[in-house]
Amino acid sequence: MKLKNLQLRLIEYGSSEWKAAVALREKILRIPLGQSFSREELKLEEQHLHIGCYMEDHLVGTAVLVPENDLQKVQRVAVEERLRNLGIGARMMYFCEETSREKGAKKIYCHARDSAVKFYSSIGYKKEGEYFPEDGIPHLKMYKEL
């Protein structure tokens, strides 16, 4: 499958695009764990940057950037299951990195699920520390200098 008309852009908190991104993240990241996003978690997102990835005007991926001084934490990265392993995740991460650089960040990091460590390593992220539990599953802190 070719990635036709793939577009990445910032989306506004509270907008219909943001609500669609939350639904996609919940479907991919939370429901399989028997969880959902709380109102408190979603309220905190008001201060974050939201990325939407669209293919022919259809939301196919999303990520969230959390500013932390000269760092950016990327979290809640999700790509539609049927479109994985086509480079969409990598394109989203490069967009997150560029956006972070534009905001003055020197480093970007994430808490990678064990199942995603290989992906992040493949795009230049380095492992930091030991595995730890988050959302009931193993995660590893990974980072990249910008």
Side-chain angles (χ1 to χ4, degrees):
M1 174 182 279
K2 289 187 178 181
L3 299 179
K4 296 186 238 171
N5 302 321
L6 195 65
Q7 299 173 357
L8 290 129
R9 64 178 179 262
L10 293 172
I11 55 178
E12 186 179 333
Y13 173 84
S15 67
S16 60
E17 289 179 309
W18 175 79
K19 290 175 184 170
V22 169
L24 180 62
R25 288 190 266 133
E26 197 153 56
K27 174 182 147 190
I28 293 168
L29 301 173
R30 292 293 177 97
I31 291 173
L33 302 175
Q35 301 173 3
S36 61
F37 291 112
S38 69
R39 284 184 181 200
E40 294 78 21
E41 284 178 290
L42 295 177
K43 180 68 177 154
L44 289 173
E45 289 194 357
E46 194 169 6
Q47 306 304 316
H48 303 163
L49 298 172
H50 303 276
I51 287 94
C53 181
Y54 297 85
M55 189 163 50
E56 298 179 358
D57 295 325
H58 176 71
L59 180 70
V60 297
T62 182
V64 177
L65 285 170
V66 181
E68 297 177 1
N69 299 316
D70 63 346
L71 298 174
Q72 289 274 357
K73 178 183 182 187
V74 63
Q75 64 184 24
R76 301 179 180 163
V77 177
V79 174
E80 273 193 22
E81 195 166 348
R82 66 182 178 83
L83 297 172
R84 291 191 189 143
N85 300 311
L86 297 175
I88 293 171
R91 297 258 304 267
M92 281 197 328
M93 290 305 298
Y94 298 141
F95 184 84
C96 288
E97 292 164 16
E98 183 58 34
T99 301
S100 295
R101 269 192 289 280
E102 289 171 4
K103 299 291 182 186
K106 306 290 183 216
K107 185 175 172 181
I108 189 169
Y109 77 96
C110 67
H111 292 173
R113 291 178 177 210
D114 186 46
S115 60
V117 168
K118 185 176 176 182
F119 163 73
Y120 286 107
S121 292
S122 76
I123 57 171
Y125 284 70
K126 300 195 179 351
K127 300 172 185 176
E128 183 177 304
E130 301 295 323
Y131 279 92
F132 58 91
E134 189 171 284
D135 296 329
I137 56 174
H139 283 71
L140 185 65
K141 186 174 184 179
M142 299 186 77
Y143 71 94
K144 189 175 190 180
E145 300 289 337
L146 299 174

